[in-house]
Amino acid sequence: QVQLVESGGGLVQPGGSLRLSCAASGSIFSIGTMGWYRQAPGQQRELVATITWAGSTHFADTVKGRFTTSRDNAKNTVYLQMNSLKAEDTAVYYCNADVLPSGAVDTQEYWGRGTQVTVSS
């Protein structure tokens, strides 16, 4: 079985920083694109950032210039560095990955269970 587990969420003041991690584990052959999404109460889940296996990144306009994402393929881990945080960034942040399980012929999409990020004074 494949699992994604996020960590690093918490309470931070406006202007502060947090670093989220997401580690994939289980019977994994390879992982393609990984991404970060977030969802605030009453809102739809929205894409925050994506990163390909080779390291190409994409960011939502709302976080561009403030957030960065990176990955360590040897550890099957993706990171989201969040700087200059705003109250509007408050949400549950979810990790997403296109995973090729061992023995499979096609990738499957997996989601973590999320980690809460609260930006408040």
Side-chain angles (χ1 to χ4, degrees):
Q1 300 183 37
V2 175
Q3 288 186 324
L4 303 180
V5 180
E6 303 96 338
S7 62
L11 175 65
V12 65
Q13 295 183 355
S17 298
L18 280 176
R19 187 187 191 228
L20 306 184
S21 299
C22 172
S25 62
S27 184
I28 298 169
F29 182 81
S30 64
I31 302 176
T33 298
M34 304 183 80
W36 292 94
Y37 294 73
R38 67 186 183 186
Q39 187 170 25
Q43 304 293 320
Q44 291 197 43
R45 187 172 299 186
E46 63 176 355
L47 184 142
V48 176
T50 61
I51 181 168
T52 68
W53 179 88
S56 296
T57 58
H58 169 81
F59 298 92
D61 289 341
T62 50
V63 306
K64 196 171 297 181
R66 299 187 297 121
F67 291 10
T68 60
T69 187
S70 60
R71 63 192 289 170
D72 185 337
N73 290 334
K75 296 180 178 179
N76 287 334
T77 299
V78 63
Y79 306 94
L80 183 68
Q81 178 67 47
M82 305 184 293
N83 301 318
S84 302
L85 283 162
K86 306 173 180 179
E88 303 93 277
D89 297 316
T90 296
V92 177
Y93 283 70
Y94 297 90
C95 177
N96 168 270
D98 294 323
V99 178
L100 181 64
S102 296
V105 297
D106 200 7
T107 60
Q108 299 178 29
E109 187 177 64
Y110 289 87
W111 291 87
R113 294 192 176 186
T115 185
Q116 178 71 49
V117 172
T118 302
V119 185
S120 177
S121 298

